[in-house]
Amino acid sequence: MPPRRKTTVELDLDALAAAKAALGTTGIKHTIDVALREAARQAALRRGAEYLEQGRQQLPTARGRSTERGPRV
């Protein structure tokens, strides 16, 4: 189990309700956990996009992907 910390925070209840609706979550803890993970996922996607835009890595072409996997059976 990942490290946890019990804390008390004041929440904007309208923002919480909007997050619940957007994420399809129930409960405050579940909504906050999913929102934090989603924020981290989006940041990682942005970093990956920046990495590609800077030319540090190229995505394989469709032809390259098919040869990398080997023959289909």
Side-chain angles (χ1 to χ4, degrees):
M1 178 183 282
R4 299 258 177 197
R5 180 178 180 177
K6 194 167 192 165
T7 186
T8 301
V9 295
E10 289 185 26
L11 298 174
D12 176 334
L13 296 181
D14 292 336
L16 178 64
K20 279 183 179 181
L23 298 169
T25 56
T26 57
I28 295 171
K29 183 181 180 311
H30 185 221
T31 301
I32 291 171
D33 285 345
V34 171
L36 291 172
R37 280 191 221 104
E38 180 61 18
R41 186 187 74 82
Q42 287 182 14
L45 289 172
R46 277 192 300 277
R47 284 191 307 271
E50 289 169 5
Y51 189 82
L52 291 173
E53 287 171 358
Q54 293 170 0
R56 292 192 276 174
Q57 177 68 36
Q58 293 181 352
L59 293 173
T61 62
R63 186 174 194 197
R65 283 193 305 266
S66 64
T67 58
E68 289 172 4
R69 282 190 237 142
R72 288 188 177 189
V73 234

